[in-house]
Amino acid sequence: MRLVVSNLDGPDVEVQPWEGAEIVIVPCGRTVEIGDAASPGGPWSVKVTNRDTGEAMFKKTLRGPNIYLRVAPGGVVWGDSPPDGPGPAGDACQTPQH
């Protein structure tokens, strides 16, 4: 199974692709592919958490072979085919000035 997480303009997130798996960080404006021949077969219990707040954004048991997640400020959407075009990274990806 393969999980492709595209964080278009949402907050930095932590993705746990299956129970007991290491957390994968997906920063704003990046796409990360998770899963290879050594990964367990599906279904996977996928969890996505806002890295800054700890808020759970998505939790669902998913089956492959390919699953695509898109992270946005309003939440996470998923499907079994890639979204139409990646789109530009939004202003939310800019590092805040302190």
Side-chain angles (χ1 to χ4, degrees), residues 5-64:
V5 183
S6 297
N7 189 344
L8 192 60
D9 58 356
D12 291 357
V13 294
E14 296 178 348
V15 178
Q16 185 176 31
W18 61 84
E19 191 68 35
E22 285 192 38
I23 301 294
V24 177
I25 296 169
V26 184
C28 187
R30 300 287 306 269
T31 295
V32 174
E33 211 173 289
I34 302 167
D36 58 26
S39 301
W44 287 357
S45 183
V46 179
K47 298 176 190 173
V48 179
T49 305
N50 181 314
R51 189 162 190 230
D52 292 331
T53 67
E55 174 189 0
M57 296 179 69
F58 181 86
K59 183 177 180 181
K60 191 164 186 69
T61 299
L62 302 172
R63 298 178 188 277

